[in-house]
Amino acid sequence: MLNLIRAYLKYDPATKSALEVFFLYPGVKAVVHHRVAHFFYKLGVPFLPRAISEFSRFLTGIDIHPGAKIGKNLIIDHGMGVVIGETAEIGDDCLIYHGVTLGGVDLNPVKRHPTLKNSVVVGAGAKILGNITIGEHSRVGSNSVVIKDVPPHSTVTGIPAKLISQKGILPGDELKHDQI
């Protein structure tokens, strides 16, 4: 919990204190509630995990299914409208802005939601759909719709999302052999 609060303090210059982050930031509340709900979900307890999840959604506007797997230090900035599906997996040190959906496209009880590797940033309103992977240190532009895997260290944007850069190199600007 302290690491999560430290992550918010490091990320957001508008924060004034750890108490402010703990009591007033909806992303922190949502992640804390999720950790409790996920614990009971893994134990196979019926009803209670979903009840905790629904209470958290009512309180924060952030809908995280108790089955979702969330790593350390997830920052949900201005979380209203964030939806994280049951089989979604989020790595460590990720940043998700408001209105993001990590949704499924398959109705079968399989892995049907996205995986975000470590240090992924997802812009406001982006939709990441299906059993796809967003590689570590990648960025998804605001309002993008991602339906295919994204390689590590990449930026994607658009509908459907297209690769804008990978490892800081723009498409068409690949290094020539004599520049290596």
Side-chain angles (χ1 to χ4, degrees):
M1 170 58 90
L2 288 176
N3 286 336
L4 179 60
I5 292 172
R6 284 188 194 110
Y8 271 86
L9 288 168
K10 180 179 174 186
Y11 158 74
D12 189 351
T15 58
K16 306 297 183 230
S17 70
L19 284 175
E20 178 184 18
V21 172
F22 180 76
F23 286 109
L24 303 177
Y25 277 56
V28 173
K29 291 179 193 141
V31 169
V32 169
H33 287 126
H34 172 73
R35 299 259 188 247
V36 174
H38 187 69
F39 172 79
F40 288 114
Y41 180 87
K42 288 190 329 187
L43 290 178
V45 174
F47 185 77
L48 183 60
R50 287 299 304 222
I52 293 168
S53 172
E54 289 299 310
F55 171 74
S56 181
R57 183 173 62 94
F58 172 78
L59 185 67
T60 66
I62 299 168
D63 184 357
I64 306 174
H65 191 283
K69 296 176 184 172
I70 295 178
K72 298 180 290 187
N73 303 328
L74 170 63
I75 295 175
I76 303 174
D77 193 8
H78 299 287
M80 186 61 71
V82 168
V83 177
I84 300 173
E86 178 182 19
T87 62
E89 298 178 34
I90 301 173
D92 297 339
D93 305 312
C94 289
L95 170 59
I96 296 176
Y97 286 95
H98 63 279
V100 166
T101 299
L102 302 182
V105 294
D106 194 333
L107 298 178
N108 295 316
V110 296
K111 170 82 166 98
R112 60 190 186 281
H113 297 95
T115 297
L116 307 184
K117 295 294 189 174
N118 295 337
S119 302
V120 170
V121 176
V122 183
K127 309 303 178 218
I128 303 174
L129 305 173
N131 181 14
I132 61 173
T133 300
I134 309 300
E136 64 184 18
H137 299 283
S138 289
R139 295 173 176 267
V140 175
S142 294
N143 295 314
S144 296
V145 177
V146 185
I147 54 175
K148 294 182 180 175
D149 289 345
V150 174
H153 302 276
S154 298
T155 300
V156 296
T157 189
I159 304 173
K162 292 184 176 34
L163 185 66
I164 299 302
S165 70
Q166 187 173 5
K167 297 185 180 180
I169 300 173
L170 300 174
D173 287 345
E174 289 79 14
L175 292 175
K176 306 287 187 267
H177 185 273
D178 59 342
Q179 293 175 306
I180 299 176

